[in-house]
Amino acid sequence: MNFETESIEFKSQFTEEIYKEVIAFVNTDGGVVYVGTDNDGNAVGLSDIDKECTRITNGIRDAIMPDVTMFVHFNVQEDKVVRITISEGTNKPYYLKKKGLKPSGVFVRQGTSSVPASPEQIRRMIKESDGDTFEDNRSLEQTLTFNEAKEAFILYGVQFSPEKYRALGITQKENDIYTNLALLLSDQCPHTTKVAVFSDEARTVFRDSREFGGSVFKQFKETINYLALCNKMSSVIKGIVRTDRQDYPDEAIREAFLNAIVHRDYSFSGSIIINVTDHKMEFISLGGLIHGLSPDDIRSGISQTRNKNLAEVFHRLRLIESYGTGIRRIFNLYAACPKQPQIEVTSNTFKIVLPNMNTLSAKEPKAIPAVTAQMQKILNCISENGRITEKEISLLFGLKKTRVFTIAKQMRDLGLIEVNGRGESKYYTRK
């Protein structure tokens, strides 16, 4: 008959197996370990009770992470049995220091046995202890290297050293345990970016496909370089004037991908997906919008970061200027284009679609109008303010009224703007 229960464990002598039992109890509902008893609970005693008690207390203190001693109490009984009372811990999961934060090092109580915790149990314990913010939670992987991160920080002139880890959120403030942010920046980052180039708009025939892994810095660099190869240059000749233009503004590609990296929900295990066809480029990230935000809010520049520390790292490296400006910048880059970028949101995904500026649908056979730098600046002002007057155009460029009228007429002829009102109340809006 086994006298052990869900909350009682018997050990005849000290072995390192005791650490596993303590971890299981502190990770579950607590319990008691008797050292110096047989399996029936009968005292057999320890030969040198003081020495053995010291070994047990020191071993538990040194072998288990995080510090478990405040939840463990020792009592030496008259029959030379050490009674170890373990309370349920508040900083789960506790684990064997030499094994790390993984199933081989984390144990839970299951019936009368102490068994390895499943990855799902470990994640649940982390979430319950650390909260719901993924990037602040302890990483399941603690053997991390940061070669790509160091290169990126050096490239952008920012110091990167272990002394800065806590300030950056790479380690938790109360200890040196790596966070999930550290995992994302590390060379061991498990998340990837997948790029597929298709021959058809139905996305059934592949031309090429790539998967980029490693640190998010490595993914950013390699994905942007690859997408540059997909961004073709087209030429339009009008009379003796030749105009060269890429399919997509480089900055729009960069901002769309940065948005996917910084704002995706990394608690999902899937990849960032980028689909490229002859007519568009799609950036799909997991997680949807944070509750309370709408696509219109995003287009207006309203932003609420899901991964605050990750966004701050990219901001420190000047890869992003400030929160909420990236999407607005993309729409400004397309201000003169007949087709505008699209934002599509589901409960678990966020997609931004960039139209190819050098191709049009069958319903739009006309060529994309040539737009001067002055016209683009006027369009940007309209995008930001909703309208612009001739007086504002004059002040913007220091031009006379007749020249302002000429530019406005050219833009109206190109179908870029339309006039509203008359006389002093006249103003222009996007057509």
Side-chain angles (χ1 to χ4, degrees):
M1 182 176 178
N2 187 359
F3 289 91
E4 293 179 332
T5 68
E6 289 186 1
S7 59
I8 296 176
E9 183 75 26
F10 298 122
K11 298 292 180 183
S12 61
Q13 59 185 348
F14 170 78
T15 69
E16 292 191 357
E17 282 289 302
I18 290 174
Y19 306 151
K20 181 178 76 173
E21 310 299 345
V22 171
I23 290 171
F25 283 133
V26 80
N27 277 336
T28 315
D29 299 316
V32 180
V33 178
Y34 292 92
V35 185
T37 64
D38 61 21
N39 289 336
D40 295 329
N42 300 313
V44 296
L46 298 173
S47 57
D48 190 335
I49 188 68
D50 293 332
K51 180 180 178 181
E52 291 300 296
C53 189
T54 300
R55 285 182 64 195
I56 295 169
T57 55
N58 290 344
I60 290 174
R61 180 195 63 209
D62 297 336
I64 300 174
M65 291 284 291
D67 183 9
V68 75
T69 54
M70 68 185 72
F71 303 105
V72 180
H73 302 280
F74 302 90
N75 177 255
V76 178
Q77 302 182 161
E78 291 182 359
D79 50 6
K80 294 187 177 182
V81 171
V82 177
R83 185 177 191 269
I84 309 172
T85 305
I86 303 108
S87 303
E88 181 180 358
T90 58
N91 199 17
K92 303 175 188 179
Y94 296 86
Y95 58 93
L96 283 173
K97 186 177 181 180
K98 65 180 180 181
K99 292 290 187 179
L101 196 59
K102 50 190 175 183
S104 61
V106 181
F107 301 92
V108 293
R109 197 69 176 172
Q110 187 173 303
T112 60
S113 302
S114 297
V115 299
S118 68
E120 290 73 23
Q121 287 175 310
I122 296 173
R123 291 190 188 96
R124 186 174 67 249
M125 284 189 279
I126 289 174
K127 186 174 181 180
E128 289 173 353
S129 296
D130 294 354
D132 290 334
T133 306
F134 175 83
E135 63 177 358
D136 291 334
N137 290 349
R138 286 165 282 175
S139 168
L140 292 179
E141 176 62 59
Q142 290 292 313
T143 306
L144 304 179
T145 59
F146 300 96
N147 297 321
E148 287 290 336
K150 288 177 183 176
E151 287 187 15
F153 273 71
I154 290 171
L155 177 64
Y156 295 106
V158 180
Q159 185 180 357
F160 184 83
S161 64
E163 294 76 21
K164 298 289 184 181
Y165 285 178
R166 289 189 182 182
L168 292 169
I170 291 174
T171 58
Q172 293 188 326
K173 287 183 169 55
E174 60 274 12
N175 51 50
D176 292 323
I177 294 176
Y178 286 126
T179 63
N180 281 327
L181 172 66
L183 183 64
L184 299 179
L185 303 184
S186 75
D187 305 310
Q188 289 73 35
C189 176
H191 305 279
T192 64
T193 299
K194 294 181 180 180
V195 184
V197 183
F198 296 94
S199 298
D200 60 332
E201 293 304 308
R203 295 175 299 179
T204 59
V205 182
F206 284 97
R207 282 183 186 155
D208 193 21
S209 63
R210 301 287 178 91
E211 184 170 8
F212 302 100
S215 168
V216 289
F217 293 119
K218 183 172 184 282
Q219 292 182 48
F220 174 67
K221 176 177 63 179
E222 293 183 351
T223 302
I224 288 296
N225 288 340
Y226 179 73
L227 292 177
L229 301 176
C230 304
N231 193 10
K232 299 176 183 178
M233 183 76 72
S234 297
S235 300
V236 177
I237 300 176
K238 289 186 177 182
I240 61 172
V241 179
R242 168 176 168 160
T243 303
D244 295 327
R245 179 164 50 193
Q246 290 179 300
D247 290 345
Y248 308 93
D250 285 332
E251 190 178 356
I253 293 175
R254 181 178 179 276
E255 292 294 341
F257 186 42
L258 279 170
N259 181 79
I261 291 174
V262 171
H263 293 291
R264 69 153 286 179
D265 188 342
Y266 287 98
S267 63
F268 290 92
S269 59
S271 303
I272 293 173
I273 303 295
I274 302 175
N275 296 322
V276 184
T277 69
D278 288 338
H279 292 274
K280 61 181 178 292
M281 189 178 290
E282 299 176 335
F283 296 80
I284 306 169
S285 58
L286 295 169
L289 289 178
I290 291 179
H291 180 70
L293 292 182
S294 69
D296 287 339
D297 294 329
I298 299 300
R299 279 189 287 266
S300 300
I302 297 172
S303 178
Q304 186 176 351
T305 55
R306 176 179 279 114
N307 307 300
K308 183 179 178 181
N309 292 337
L310 180 61
E312 182 58 30
V313 167
F314 275 74
H315 184 242
R316 285 194 184 201
L317 300 185
R318 297 186 296 280
L319 288 168
I320 58 176
E321 288 188 10
S322 59
Y323 309 145
T325 62
I327 298 296
R328 193 166 69 239
R329 191 174 297 113
I330 290 172
F331 278 89
N332 284 342
L333 290 165
Y334 274 84
C337 185
K339 282 189 175 181
Q340 294 293 293
Q342 294 179 310
I343 292 176
E344 300 174 15
V345 179
T346 69
S347 58
N348 290 318
T349 62
F350 179 90
K351 181 199 299 187
I352 182 164
V353 183
L354 304 181
N356 186 327
M357 298 179 80
N358 289 320
T359 61
L360 295 171
S361 68
K363 295 180 180 180
E364 297 170 325
K366 61 183 180 181
I368 298 174
V371 179
T372 66
Q374 284 182 330
M375 292 179 183
Q376 183 64 64
K377 196 165 185 179
I378 292 170
L379 290 169
N380 290 345
C381 288
I382 295 175
S383 295
E384 291 179 5
N385 304 308
R387 61 168 67 184
I388 195 168
T389 64
E390 289 186 348
K391 184 177 181 180
E392 288 170 336
I393 296 173
S394 177
L395 292 173
L396 188 63
F397 300 108
L399 299 175
K400 294 182 178 180
K401 187 175 181 179
T402 53
R403 177 58 183 158
V404 170
F405 178 82
T406 300
I407 294 173
K409 185 177 184 305
Q410 290 172 343
M411 295 180 71
R412 289 168 62 192
D413 292 340
L414 289 170
L416 300 176
I417 61 173
E418 61 183 9
V419 65
N420 300 268
R422 286 187 166 189
E424 293 295 326
S425 62
K426 182 169 66 175
Y427 61 91
Y428 298 96
T429 58
R430 284 293 304 274
K431 192 165 184 179

